[in-house]
């Protein structure tokens, strides 16, 4: 594990994270742990990938090359995630 962070998207704030990836020589896998996810409209969107069904408390691992985003939060609920990147040795 070479990076870890959390992200808070406040209710009705419109906060979002646009499409991006995490791929580098130091990162081939990324992870998202959903600490708070009361509205499924706030699930992470993965570009050109079938929709991934997640719920609060789920952990997903994915190839760091995959473009992904957090949609704008226009809901009555906060979204909180914990993320980290992994290097494969």
């Amino acid at each position: 594990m070479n990076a870890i962070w959390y992200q808070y998207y406040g209710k009705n704030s419109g906060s979002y994270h646009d499409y991006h990836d995490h791929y580098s020589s130091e990162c081939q896998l990324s992870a998202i742990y959903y600490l708070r996810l009361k509205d499924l409209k706030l699930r992470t969107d993965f570009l050109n990938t079938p929709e991934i069904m997640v719920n609060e408390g789920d952990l997903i691992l994915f190839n760091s090359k995959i473009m992904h985003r957090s949609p704008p939060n226009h809901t009555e609920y906060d979204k909180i995630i914990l993320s980290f990147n992994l290097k494969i040795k």
Side-chain angles (χ1 to χ4, degrees):
M1 183 183 303
N2 58 15
I4 186 167
W5 64 96
Y6 78 95
Q7 207 66 42
Y8 170 78
Y9 304 91
K11 64 182 179 180
N12 291 313
S13 66
S15 57
Y16 71 98
H17 200 122
D18 209 356
Y19 281 108
H20 64 285
D21 68 28
H22 295 258
Y23 187 75
S24 74
S25 62
E26 295 299 314
C27 172
Q28 294 84 39
L29 287 175
S30 294
I32 303 170
Y33 175 65
Y34 293 90
L35 293 166
R36 185 168 299 151
L37 185 69
K38 300 291 184 197
D39 192 321
L40 297 180
K41 289 183 275 191
L42 298 174
R43 290 183 299 230
T44 304
D45 291 333
F46 292 89
L47 194 61
N48 301 319
T49 303
E51 186 174 42
I52 296 174
M53 300 304 292
V54 298
N55 292 296
E56 188 173 281
D58 287 350
L59 171 72
I60 59 172
L61 292 169
F62 57 95
N63 185 315
S64 296
K65 291 181 182 179
I66 298 174
M67 298 289 288
H68 58 285
R69 75 175 186 126
S70 183
N73 188 352
H74 298 293
T75 73
E76 296 295 318
Y77 302 99
D78 296 331
K79 174 185 176 181
I80 303 173
I81 57 130
L82 179 68
S83 293
F84 55 92
N85 290 331
L86 300 165
K87 178 179 180 178
I88 300 171
K89 291 188 176 193

